[in-house]
Amino acid sequence: MTNAKRDAVLVADDHSLYRTGLGFLLKDRLGFHTVVEAATFDAALDRLSELEDIGLALFDLSMPGVSGPESLGVIKETYPDVRVAIVSGSEERGDVLKAVATGLGGYVPKSLQDDEIVAALRDILDGRIYVPRFMTSSGSPAAARTSTPEQIEKKWDTSGVTGTKPISPRQRDVLDCVRRGLSNKEIARELDIAEGTVKIHLAALFSHFGARNRTELATRC
């Protein structure tokens, strides 16, 4: 797999100091020209819909609007050319397994040293899936950084870790607008978000409720 483009990277985290520090590493050590910051999930979705040169998107699990790794899956589906990964303070095995099952590019704990974070992100950019060393039987950094989707699925049973969670408050707002018959443009105007963000929330709602179109979405839930 070819390397992801490194024109711009999105860092979505509600802690400004961490965004700044991670942004420095991404520019200084990984060659990104632009670091785009977002403090909320909706703001991150807006940036993705507005900018076409983002090659990597990094999300913190505890930021406003993110209910878990599953909520990031729709971003991967909507923007297949963007590598999506989690950089989080959580070291729960369940969160890592959900990230892998969702098809994300990796799960990088914030507790890692700078060199380890750089190595993890480099592997994600190269198309490999990064999982923390505590998820490997050998515990070696090399084993944690050379996983492929097939190897991970074989090593861990991810069944039962992607249970359906309630929709987010913003998705509930979008759903209410759909029930009222509003268009994407009208929803964006009413909720003060980008139209591209509306499309992502709709994709998540279609997946959540198993609906094929807006009519089914409005009548099934």
Side-chain angles (χ1 to χ4, degrees):
M1 184 178 291
T2 57
N3 290 354
K5 59 184 179 181
R6 302 194 186 187
D7 296 328
V9 55
L10 171 68
V11 178
D13 194 299
D14 57 337
H15 291 90
S16 60
L17 287 178
Y18 192 82
R19 290 199 308 268
T20 300
L22 184 56
F24 174 80
L25 287 179
L26 288 160
K27 281 186 172 182
D28 184 63
R29 303 281 297 277
L30 289 169
F32 280 96
H33 300 298
T34 304
V35 176
V36 180
E37 297 186 14
T40 67
F41 187 55
D42 278 348
L45 296 184
D46 284 350
R47 301 293 85 76
L48 282 169
S49 68
E50 295 164 354
L51 304 173
E52 297 181 353
D53 57 351
I54 294 177
L56 175 66
L58 304 174
F59 288 83
D60 177 35
L61 276 185
S62 63
M63 68 183 301
V66 177
S67 58
E70 308 94 329
S71 61
L72 303 180
V74 69
I75 297 177
K76 180 68 177 174
E77 296 172 4
T78 307
Y79 301 100
D81 294 331
V82 178
R83 301 277 162 76
V84 182
I86 291 172
V87 179
S88 177
S90 169
E91 297 192 6
E92 292 292 329
R93 293 177 63 90
D95 286 337
V96 181
L97 292 175
K98 289 174 184 176
V100 171
T102 303
L104 303 185
Y107 192 103
V108 184
K110 289 183 177 180
S111 59
L112 297 182
Q113 298 298 313
D114 286 356
D115 287 346
E116 294 176 305
I117 291 177
V118 169
L121 295 179
R122 184 174 289 120
D123 278 352
I124 291 170
L125 288 166
D126 287 343
R128 292 183 289 273
I129 294 179
Y130 179 87
V131 293
R133 65 184 66 182
F134 62 75
M135 295 295 292
T136 65
S137 57
S138 65
S140 67
R145 296 203 307 267
T146 57
S147 300
T148 64
E150 293 78 11
Q151 289 170 335
I152 291 175
E153 288 177 6
K154 186 174 182 180
K155 191 174 185 64
W156 297 300
D157 177 12
T158 57
S159 62
V161 299
T162 57
T164 301
K165 286 192 173 185
I167 60 176
S168 70
R170 179 60 80 192
Q171 289 168 356
R172 196 172 297 114
D173 292 339
V174 172
L175 178 58
D176 179 63
C177 290
V178 170
R179 287 170 173 161
R180 290 158 50 200
L182 301 186
S183 67
N184 287 358
K185 185 175 295 185
E186 290 170 332
I187 295 173
R189 187 182 304 116
E190 176 157 327
L191 300 181
D192 194 25
I193 57 179
E195 192 170 346
T197 302
V198 175
K199 293 178 181 178
I200 294 178
H201 284 312
L202 281 173
L205 289 167
F206 288 149
S207 176
H208 182 89
F209 291 105
R212 293 173 295 179
N213 52 51
R214 299 168 80 98
T215 301
E216 285 191 3
L217 182 62
T219 57
R220 282 192 180 186
C221 44

